[in-house]
Amino acid sequence: MTTFHILVIVAILLYFLIKKRYRYWTDRKVPQAQPELFFGNVRNVRRTVHLAERFRQLYDELKGKHPFGGIYMFFKPIVLITDLELLKCVFVKDFQYFHDRGNYYNEKDDPISAHLFNLEGQKWRNLRNKISPTFTSGKMKMMYPTIVAAGEQLREFMEESVRDKVEFELKDLLTRFTTDVIGMCAFGIECNSMRNPEAEFRLMGRKIFQRPTTTLRNLVVNTSPRLARAIGIRVIERDVSDFFMKVVRETINYRVENNVERHDFMNILIGMRSDNETKSEDDKLTFNEIAAQAFLFFLAGFDTSSALLAFTLYELAMNQELQEKARSSIEEVLQRHDGQLTYEAIMEMHYMEKVMKETLRKYPPIAVHFRVAAKDYLVPGTDTVISAGTSVMVPVYGIHHDPQYFPDPERYDPERFSAEEEAKRHPYAWTPFGEGPRICVGLRFGLMQARVGLVLLLRSFRFGASEKTVYPMQLDPKSVILTLDGGMWLKVEKLK
């Protein structure tokens, strides 16, 4: 038998093994989407359509046949939840089965990837207990003046800029604003990326989401994370990791040596710092843990919040009546606070809260949430078992665009989030931040910086469509976070 014949036999065997693997859900009497050889249900989607749209298509295809549908990422079977009662069980009711996200991280070779979002089991629980007090109302109020200061810089920059032009690409500008906020609140550093787009913090932030992905790397990380760790696959580029580790170390050393205290996130983390560099203690954080959480704060805050700002301004530019209503609601609240944008005033702006909630419905920054079954789980009301180790996907974007929960889902309508409308709807139909014990720990901070930015901009400027405005909107298929393809171009006028 020649080498060619052996290769042909091996190829045929592999083909039938893969075909058998792709019967995983069918054999368990679970409806499944038709997978493509090798890639499963996610082949090349980033080049043609955003992942959010692809998973929305799968959700629409599989909904109504079973509490979940079966899909595949490469050869890996994935649960795609299509029933909100099962979603409630996964997030809250049966959380003990689904306490981990199953995200890849590499604590040894890439320590800043071992942050709260990625960690699992007891490590996650211990760190969550240490970090949660950081985001109380009192701590938010403490950081509030820093956010307003950054917002005023944004407003002043816009006022100078509108003298020379009327069309703006706002996504990059708003990302520079949130970069400055996070730089100040997480690291105590004046980034100045508003006036210097090439500032190092801005460049590093851009680089995080521009890392080229390869099919082979994704295959190894998704199908064999232990092997990925063994061969040292990193989540974060080395120069980005080294930059953040260096900044955190220099910040800690400077503050400790000079007895500097500031009203920011870093100051809170330093207050929990352990003298032991590597070994975690009760209520204390090692240097690596501090660096990882500061990095997460930056990672989670700057791009998601700027996307929320940009999409909100886009929708208000397309809906001038809603923009005027938002502006009037802001002035109405500020009149009760002597025109001052205090913390209490910003928290009273309930219409702006509805506006942001509707933006997060239509454009959730994270299009899917993941959990992984820690042990075999019998799906309530069925005889189907989700086996231990199986990944569970929540198609947030799909659910948020389901007309069963949000009629005419492409229409932008903040009144969907009036108390009356929310009471009619399933409580788990809107989950941009997740829900339950693993809900996003910094969601209040992210919403606060977005609200401050929106209030300051809407008080000073009117936003409208320009010749460069993309309509209807197209999502960038190469972006992890939901963002516009071709930029966010709007016409900006200074209000008298």
Side-chain angles (χ1 to χ4, degrees):
M1 186 179 293
T2 66
T3 303
F4 173 75
H5 288 109
I6 293 171
L7 289 174
V8 169
I9 292 169
V10 169
I12 292 170
L13 287 172
L14 280 173
Y15 173 78
F16 282 106
L17 282 172
I18 292 169
K19 291 292 283 185
K20 178 175 170 53
R21 183 63 169 171
Y22 285 156
R23 285 190 54 81
Y24 180 90
W25 291 120
T26 303
D27 291 344
R28 286 158 178 77
K29 297 182 174 57
V30 173
Q32 71 170 41
Q34 183 61 38
E36 293 186 47
L37 193 65
F38 187 77
F39 293 98
N41 298 106
V42 293
R43 186 171 78 89
N44 287 338
V45 289
R46 283 193 174 181
R47 298 179 187 176
T48 54
V49 63
H50 196 279
L51 278 169
E53 291 285 2
R54 176 58 181 148
F55 291 126
R56 177 187 180 181
Q57 293 166 7
L58 292 168
Y59 168 81
D60 290 342
E61 178 186 337
L62 295 166
K63 188 190 171 198
K65 303 172 183 177
H66 192 271
F68 70 87
I71 64 171
Y72 301 88
M73 295 186 79
F74 298 105
F75 312 123
K76 185 178 179 182
I78 305 285
V79 168
L80 188 136
I81 292 179
T82 55
D83 177 78
L84 296 189
E85 283 303 308
L86 178 56
L87 173 55
K88 178 181 177 180
C89 291
V90 168
F91 274 164
V92 180
K93 192 175 176 184
D94 295 318
F95 177 75
Q96 69 272 25
Y97 288 86
F98 302 100
H99 47 71
D100 295 335
R101 288 195 171 96
N103 292 342
Y104 175 78
Y105 64 96
N106 188 334
E107 199 165 2
K108 176 176 173 286
D109 299 297
D110 193 10
I112 63 169
S113 69
H115 49 64
L116 190 65
F117 191 83
N118 288 343
L119 285 177
E120 300 173 334
Q122 197 58 44
K123 276 189 176 182
W124 164 77
R125 199 176 301 279
N126 292 342
L127 191 58
R128 176 84 181 201
N129 291 337
K130 294 175 186 178
I131 294 294
S132 291
T134 304
F135 294 99
T136 60
S137 297
K139 298 293 195 304
M140 293 298 98
K141 193 172 182 179
M142 185 180 78
M143 288 186 257
Y144 180 75
T146 303
I147 299 172
V148 173
E152 290 290 358
Q153 288 177 6
L154 169 64
R155 185 184 57 76
E156 289 168 10
F157 181 79
M158 288 286 287
E159 283 192 348
E160 294 170 18
S161 301
V162 294
R163 295 171 193 161
D164 303 317
K165 58 180 179 178
V166 293
E167 282 185 322
F168 288 87
E169 199 294 291
L170 285 174
K171 179 61 172 73
D172 182 66
L173 183 66
L174 295 169
T175 303
R176 281 148 56 191
F177 158 63
T178 53
T179 299
D180 287 350
V181 171
I182 300 297
M184 285 192 279
C185 289
F187 300 93
I189 290 174
E190 298 278 348
C191 302
N192 297 318
S193 63
M194 184 59 60
R195 297 184 181 277
N196 177 18
E198 300 305 306
E200 200 168 11
F201 256 89
R202 177 70 192 105
L203 294 177
M204 289 298 168
R206 193 182 295 141
K207 198 166 185 178
I208 292 168
F209 291 103
Q210 289 179 346
R211 175 176 183 172
T213 58
T214 64
T215 301
L216 180 59
R217 176 181 172 274
N218 283 343
L219 176 63
V220 176
V221 165
N222 276 293
T223 59
S224 185
R226 287 185 181 179
L227 173 61
R229 290 189 182 98
I231 61 179
I233 291 180
R234 301 169 60 90
V235 181
I236 314 298
E237 292 284 358
R238 187 175 294 279
D239 59 338
V240 175
S241 178
D242 290 346
F243 169 77
F244 281 101
M245 295 287 275
K246 176 174 174 285
V247 167
V248 171
R249 190 172 290 281
E250 288 177 351
T251 302
I252 292 174
N253 289 344
Y254 177 80
R255 293 195 186 188
V256 171
E257 289 168 9
N258 295 279
N259 200 26
V260 173
E261 290 205 11
R262 292 185 55 157
H263 297 311
D264 58 20
F265 182 65
M266 182 58 72
N267 201 69
I268 297 165
L269 292 178
I270 292 172
M272 295 188 284
R273 186 174 65 106
S274 169
D275 292 330
N276 193 316
E277 280 271 308
T278 55
K279 188 178 179 183
S280 189
E281 304 171 31
D282 290 345
D283 303 321
K284 297 290 183 182
L285 297 173
T286 67
F287 168 75
N288 281 355
E289 287 174 332
I290 289 175
Q293 301 339 298
F295 174 73
L296 173 62
F297 196 59
F298 180 83
L299 182 71
F302 87 98
D303 218 36
T304 53
S305 293
S306 63
L308 170 56
L309 276 160
F311 281 125
T312 301
L313 291 176
Y314 178 93
E315 287 290 352
L316 294 181
M318 299 298 114
N319 298 275
Q320 288 293 317
E321 286 185 15
L322 295 180
Q323 186 177 154
E324 286 304 320
K325 185 173 181 179
R327 192 172 287 118
S328 298
S329 73
I330 290 167
E331 295 303 332
E332 183 184 327
V333 172
L334 290 178
Q335 282 177 13
R336 300 199 296 266
H337 291 267
D338 300 322
Q340 299 300 308
L341 189 59
T342 62
Y343 178 81
E344 289 72 23
I346 207 89
M347 298 311 291
E348 282 181 30
M349 294 182 183
H350 303 304
Y351 185 73
M352 290 307 300
E353 182 178 357
K354 289 193 282 188
V355 165
M356 291 194 300
K357 280 186 171 183
E358 174 65 347
T359 302
L360 288 165
R361 176 199 69 82
K362 198 171 176 186
Y363 311 102
I366 306 299
V368 295
H369 300 308
F370 276 100
R371 296 292 187 268
V372 62
K375 46 192 173 181
D376 288 355
Y377 178 74
L378 178 63
V379 177
T382 75
D383 56 2
T384 306
V385 172
I386 299 174
S387 300
T390 304
S391 290
V392 177
M393 176 191 288
V394 179
V396 181
Y397 186 84
I399 295 169
H400 283 192
H401 288 77
D402 187 337
Q404 179 182 344
Y405 310 118
F406 301 99
D408 192 7
E410 298 310 313
R411 181 170 56 89
Y412 186 82
D413 180 12
E415 291 306 323
R416 296 183 198 273
F417 292 92
S418 66
E420 297 77 18
E421 289 300 313
E422 285 191 310
K424 296 176 189 175
R425 197 162 50 238
H426 195 290
Y428 288 81
W430 184 82
T431 58
F433 303 106
E435 197 49 78
R438 284 206 83 138
I439 193 171
C440 173
V441 71
L443 70 91
R444 287 200 292 182
F445 181 90
L447 289 174
M448 187 166 71
Q449 69 168 334
R451 195 180 303 197
V452 168
L454 284 170
V455 167
L456 288 169
L457 290 174
L458 288 171
R459 287 194 79 195
S460 299
F461 309 97
R462 177 175 289 107
F463 298 86
S466 77
E467 291 182 3
K468 292 184 179 179
T469 303
V470 178
Y471 190 85
M473 182 181 291
Q474 298 292 320
L475 296 176
D476 182 358
K478 298 180 182 66
S479 174
V480 177
I481 302 293
L482 253 67
T483 188
L484 259 181
D485 197 7
M488 180 80 71
W489 288 91
L490 291 178
K491 178 182 175 184
V492 183
E493 300 175 80
K494 177 79 174 73
L495 291 171
K496 294 180 182 179

